[in-house]
Amino acid sequence: MIYAIIITAFSLFLSLSISKNIFAPATIVSGLWLFCILAFNLYPHDLFPLRGQFYTGISIWVGVFTLSSLLTQSIFQKPNNIDDPNQSLVNLYFLITLITFPYVFWNIYNLLKSAGLLNNVFYNLRSAALGDIKGLEEGTAKNYFAPLWLVTYLIELQHFKKERIWIFISLLLINLFWAFLVMSKLAFLNIIVATLMILFFKKIIKTRTILISLAVLFVFFSYFQMLRSTKSEIKNKELNYDIFTLYVLSGMPAFETIKPNSSEFFGQNSFRFFYAIGYKTGLTSKKPASPVLEFINVDKNDKTHTNVYTTLYPFFKDFGYKGIFIFAFLIGIFYGYIFKKATKKDNPMVITYSILVVSLVTQFMNEATFTTLSFLLQILIFAHLPYWVNKKITIQNTVEN
């Protein structure tokens, strides 16, 4: 434990000293894990104790991630995409959003209605989103339009104009309503945190405002958890658990149960995205790993069950400690590059990083970079296209003149 605290604390000090930014990727990751380690050892709970497997793994992760991201940030990069986006394409994004959202909403409503699930709607919405209802195994959360809706909203926020305020409000409401339709805390986090981060990059709000907002958000999520639970659970007080222990701390003892190098085939969890494509196209017979992991008990009284195993899970299960080292290095470079671009006022990178911050602050739950690569690629493409189009038009006009 002591060496893990020392490494995470030193990584936090190093990142703050070099980047001088509390929202730099290394600052977030090292600060998050220092808090989690201290909280696990100081906050009262009945979870199983942590052993060397977690402390060694998290020390490697934080140390390597910090060094690789800071190294990338130190490399000079030219500011790109600093002009406004192509307005015609942004308007097309908005039009697509207006057409697709009612379709998605009506489809989910009809699915619930045909299955007779309009009673206790909050709980049933979440079950339908996860595919836990017979006949709806695909899950309503699988919506390839949602990343476009989110990016379109954030582009409007990044380039906010008073004359387009009703477009901005419409996009915000659509994204919030989508989060309600799937009853997803992560979807709410993506909207709220991304909004706060863009306002921070635009120097409209300060760090204090973001921290207060996150505290309020935690209270909201506590109530939100009750909304999407069954009436019987509430009546029988089955929800009388410690939400902080369940959501923040439980993944660490869960990770202790993972056996290194125990996957059925090479990179089964780390490269899930590629196996999913290969399986659908017939290039491989190996089925992609399920994104929903098995629930296990993690406390002495058999009351706390979790299916989150921290961000280390896929890399450790596939490749052991060397997997943690390699992927911490690669992911650190990736986030360091995007953050450096964002600080240079690269508009699509500001939007991308603002969304991906959620992946950093939820590392105590699961890995959300390689295992959600489809979402990441969509965000990158949708965020860049309006600026690339403008740049291409500018180059063509310059050549013609």
Side-chain angles (χ1 to χ4, degrees):
M1 178 185 72
I2 300 300
Y3 66 87
I5 293 176
I6 292 173
I7 291 173
T8 52
F10 178 75
S11 297
L12 177 60
F13 171 77
L14 187 65
S15 181
L16 286 173
S17 300
I18 295 176
S19 65
K20 295 180 173 58
N21 192 316
I22 192 173
F23 296 113
T27 305
I28 294 175
V29 169
S30 56
L32 170 75
W33 283 113
L34 178 61
F35 169 78
C36 288
I37 294 171
L38 293 175
F40 191 91
N41 288 280
L42 298 176
Y43 187 79
H45 59 76
D46 292 319
L47 299 176
F48 292 129
L50 299 179
R51 303 186 302 274
Q53 179 166 294
F54 171 75
Y55 288 128
T56 300
I58 206 62
S59 297
I60 296 171
W61 177 262
V62 174
V64 176
F65 182 98
T66 298
L67 292 177
S68 62
S69 62
L70 290 177
L71 175 64
T72 307
Q73 289 170 218
S74 68
I75 300 173
F76 174 76
Q77 296 175 28
K78 291 182 179 180
N80 297 320
N81 305 307
I82 58 176
D83 298 321
D84 288 343
N86 182 274
Q87 199 59 58
S88 297
L89 188 52
V90 173
N91 290 338
L92 178 60
Y93 277 10
F94 178 59
L95 179 61
I96 293 173
T97 301
L98 288 181
I99 295 172
T100 55
F101 178 74
Y103 168 77
V104 171
F105 168 74
W106 187 249
N107 186 46
I108 292 175
Y109 173 78
N110 282 331
L111 285 172
L112 292 180
K113 184 179 179 181
S114 62
L117 300 173
L118 292 180
N119 60 320
N120 196 8
V121 66
F122 296 115
Y123 173 78
N124 288 326
L125 279 172
R126 186 54 182 164
S127 297
L130 294 175
D132 290 339
I133 296 175
K134 188 176 181 180
L136 303 177
E137 286 81 4
E138 283 295 315
T140 56
K142 293 181 179 180
N143 173 15
Y144 293 104
F145 294 114
L148 176 65
W149 300 344
L150 180 59
V151 169
T152 306
Y153 158 68
L154 294 176
I155 290 176
E156 287 292 333
L157 177 61
Q158 177 73 356
H159 303 278
F160 180 77
K161 297 175 183 177
K162 288 184 179 180
E163 59 268 25
R164 293 173 64 89
I165 188 168
W166 290 111
I167 293 177
F168 171 78
I169 293 174
S170 300
L171 288 167
L172 174 59
L173 292 177
I174 284 172
N175 279 280
L176 288 174
F177 200 66
W178 166 247
F180 267 111
L181 280 177
V182 291
M183 295 302 286
S184 169
K185 293 189 288 292
L186 183 60
F188 277 109
L189 270 177
N190 282 334
I191 300 164
I192 297 170
V193 172
T195 299
L196 293 172
M197 287 304 303
I198 285 183
L199 294 177
F200 176 78
F201 277 114
K202 291 167 69 74
K203 298 183 179 179
I204 295 175
I205 62 173
K206 296 183 179 180
T207 303
R208 181 172 176 269
T209 305
I210 294 179
L211 297 178
I212 293 173
S213 299
L214 293 178
V216 172
L217 194 60
F218 183 80
V219 175
F220 165 72
F221 280 163
S222 300
Y223 174 70
F224 185 73
Q225 184 66 25
M226 294 183 64
L227 274 182
R228 68 182 201 179
S229 301
T230 63
K231 292 180 180 178
S232 61
E233 285 177 328
I234 298 172
K235 184 177 180 180
N236 297 328
K237 297 184 179 179
E238 293 177 16
L239 291 179
N240 191 25
Y241 50 67
D242 183 346
I243 192 170
F244 179 78
T245 298
L246 179 64
Y247 282 97
V248 179
L249 304 182
S250 65
M252 292 182 278
F255 175 76
E256 292 283 7
T257 67
I258 304 303
K259 294 182 180 179
N261 303 291
S262 59
S263 297
E264 296 178 11
F265 48 85
F266 179 83
Q268 179 182 9
N269 302 279
S270 305
F271 302 127
R272 180 187 177 280
F273 170 74
F274 301 102
Y275 281 114
I277 294 177
Y279 186 75
K280 284 186 176 181
T281 56
L283 295 176
T284 177
S285 60
K286 294 181 173 62
K287 291 185 178 181
S290 172
V292 181
L293 302 178
E294 181 183 356
F295 277 89
I296 62 167
N297 172 56
V298 289
D299 80 341
K300 303 168 187 175
N301 300 316
D302 197 22
K303 290 183 177 180
T304 306
H305 296 80
T306 186
N307 67 336
V308 297
Y309 299 81
T310 79
T311 192
L312 307 177
Y313 169 82
F315 315 130
F316 186 71
K317 186 172 177 62
D318 288 345
F319 307 111
Y321 290 119
K322 65 180 180 182
I324 296 177
F325 183 98
I326 293 170
F327 283 94
F329 181 77
L330 295 175
I331 294 175
I333 289 176
F334 173 73
Y335 279 99
Y337 174 78
I338 292 181
F339 176 74
K340 181 63 178 287
K341 283 285 189 180
T343 59
K344 292 289 186 179
K345 303 187 186 303
D346 185 305
N347 287 306
M349 286 304 195
V350 169
I351 293 168
T352 300
Y353 188 73
S354 296
I355 296 172
L356 296 185
V357 163
V358 174
S359 301
L360 297 177
V361 299
T362 57
Q363 286 193 359
F364 55 83
M365 295 184 68
N366 49 33
E367 201 282 324
T369 302
F370 268 81
T371 53
T372 58
L373 201 53
S374 174
F375 173 77
L376 173 59
L377 291 174
Q378 290 176 73
I379 293 297
L380 281 168
I381 293 170
F382 290 144
H384 278 82
L385 273 178
Y387 302 94
W388 285 342
V389 169
N390 254 12
K391 187 180 292 185
K392 185 176 180 180
I393 291 173
T394 301
I395 293 173
Q396 286 179 340
N397 290 337
T398 303
V399 172
E400 291 173 1
N401 293 334

